């Protein structure tokens, strides 16, 4: 067997794992396909005579390709279009470099990083995303991760820890995302967008207030036809609405509910305060 055939067999052997890494990083099946194809072009031209761990080496190459794609996407302030597609059916046991995973560990992993990961992933920097995904999902060492992002193993560990806290926060906030408050805010944004005065009025407390505007009818009239660019979000774990321009939050709308009705809508557009907020746009909160 010549070297090219050997490399082709190793790549095919680990292709499911490589695609899983790329999908977790890029959360787009087509982008993941592109990343794996680019990785093959790179490894087919590279000197692999000193490679002792093909799985680790190929994972590193794919990770570098994904990192470049993420940085390019971030520079364009690009958001993946449409709803999140279903995750490819790749068994966790087949993508763990240390061998088959324990079923209980798999269940814990799914609980901790499944939905929460998809919600919060786009809020991470490319380096944070890579460190978290490679270490927590695919058990890649921090030493290997450090070579991909040109950081020390300690720095890679810090990036993964920071990302993990965000993901855990998103998981803890999942109950809030499903709460009555979230549903009320989503309905309010939809009614505002559509100029549905009656629907707005039904969501408001009779004594509702926003700024200097007081009373349900006045508040409904004020917001009717507005909020065209507001999005449903979790702000410090609490359902709210956020207006963002080119990915940067410009205003946050916080809602106070009294017996299920909106009694107060406060608007904060102070850039210094906005920078300190933890904002996660909800996948069901389409631009309205």
């Amino acid at each position: 067997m010549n070297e090219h055939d050997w490399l082709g067999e190793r790549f095919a052997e680990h292709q499911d794992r490589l695609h899983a890494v790329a999908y977790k990083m890029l959360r787009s099946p087509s982008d993941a396909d592109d990343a794996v194809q680019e990785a093959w072009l790179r490894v087919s031209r590279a000197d692999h005579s000193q490679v002792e761990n093909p799985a680790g080496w190929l994972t590193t190459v794919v990770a570098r390709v994904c990192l470049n794609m993420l940085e390019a996407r971030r520079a364009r302030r690009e958001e993946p279009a449409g709803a999140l597609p279903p995750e490819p059916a790749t068994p966790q046991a087949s993508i763990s470099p240390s061998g088959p995973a324990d079923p209980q560990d798999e269940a814990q992993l799914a609980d901790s990083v499944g939905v929460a990961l998809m919600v919060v992933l786009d809020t991470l920097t490319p380096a944070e995303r890579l460190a978290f995904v490679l270490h927590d999902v695919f058990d890649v060492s921090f030493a290997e991760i450090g070579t991909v992002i040109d950081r020390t193993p300690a720095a890679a560990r810090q990036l993964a820890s920071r990302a993990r806290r965000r993901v855990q926060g998103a998981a803890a906030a999942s109950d809030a995302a499903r709460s009555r408050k979230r549903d009320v805010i989503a309905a309010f944004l939809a009614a505002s967008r559509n100029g549905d005065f009656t629907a707005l009025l039904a969501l408001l407390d009779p004594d509702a207030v926003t700024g200097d505007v007081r009373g349900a009818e006045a508040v409904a009239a004020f917001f009717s036809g507005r909020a065209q660019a507001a999005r449903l979000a979790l702000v410090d774990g609490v359902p709210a609405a956020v207006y963002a321009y080119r990915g940067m939050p410009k205003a946050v709308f916080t809602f106070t509910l009294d017996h299920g009705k909106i009694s107060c809508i406060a608007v904060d557009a102070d850039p210094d305060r906005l920078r300190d907020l933890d904002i996660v746009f909800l996948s069901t909160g389409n631009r309205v």
Side-chain angles (χ1 to χ4, degrees), residues 10 27 32 40 43 83 140 145 151 170 173 176 190 193 234-235 240 256 283:
R10 299 291 78 72
R27 76 174 186 89
W40 167 248
V43 300
V140 177
I145 294 169
R151 308 278 183 93
R193 175 198 62 199
L234 295 179
V235 178
T256 301
S283 59

Side-chain angles (χ1 to χ4, degrees), residues 64 67 71 125-128 130-131 141-160 162:
R64 283 177 175 153
L67 186 62
E71 289 173 342
T125 67
E128 287 172 339
L130 184 143
S141 72
F142 288 120
E144 293 175 279
I145 294 169
T147 64
V148 178
I149 58 178
D150 196 25
R151 308 278 183 93
T152 65
R157 182 188 297 275
Q158 290 179 341
L159 288 169
R162 188 183 310 155

Side-chain angles (χ1 to χ4, degrees), residues 170-194:
S174 62
D175 286 343
R178 294 190 296 267
S179 70
R180 167 66 178 163
K181 187 171 187 177
R182 174 211 174 279
D183 294 339
V184 169
I185 295 172
F188 181 88
L189 292 175
S192 175
R193 175 198 62 199
N194 296 327

Side-chain angles (χ1 to χ4, degrees), residues 188-194 222-231 241-243 253 255 286-288:
F188 181 88
L189 292 175
S192 175
R193 175 198 62 199
N194 296 327
F222 179 81
F223 279 102
S224 183
R226 291 193 169 191
Q228 295 298 323
R231 294 176 63 187
V242 176
Y243 163 64
F253 300 78
F255 295 74
N286 296 327
R287 191 178 304 278
V288 294

Side-chain angles (χ1 to χ4, degrees), residues 15-68:
Q15 190 164 353
D16 285 347
R17 168 189 167 83
L18 301 179
H19 194 275
V21 170
Y23 180 84
K24 282 290 188 183
M25 289 289 295
L26 302 170
R27 76 174 186 89
S28 163
S30 60
D31 285 352
D33 289 342
D34 291 344
V36 172
Q37 291 175 9
E38 174 63 23
W40 167 248
L41 292 176
R42 293 190 183 191
V43 300
S44 64
R45 296 193 297 261
D47 178 11
H48 55 275
S49 59
Q50 303 300 315
V51 173
E52 297 181 357
N53 179 7
W57 178 58
L58 293 172
T59 299
T60 297
V61 174
V62 168
R64 283 177 175 153
V65 171
C66 291
L67 186 62
N68 291 339

Side-chain angles (χ1 to χ4, degrees), residues 13 44 47 58 61 102 123 153 163 184 197 226 250 268-269 272:
E13 178 185 350
S44 64
D47 178 11
L58 293 172
V61 174
D102 182 80
T123 71
V184 169
F197 179 85
R226 291 193 169 191
K250 297 299 181 182
D268 190 349
D272 292 331

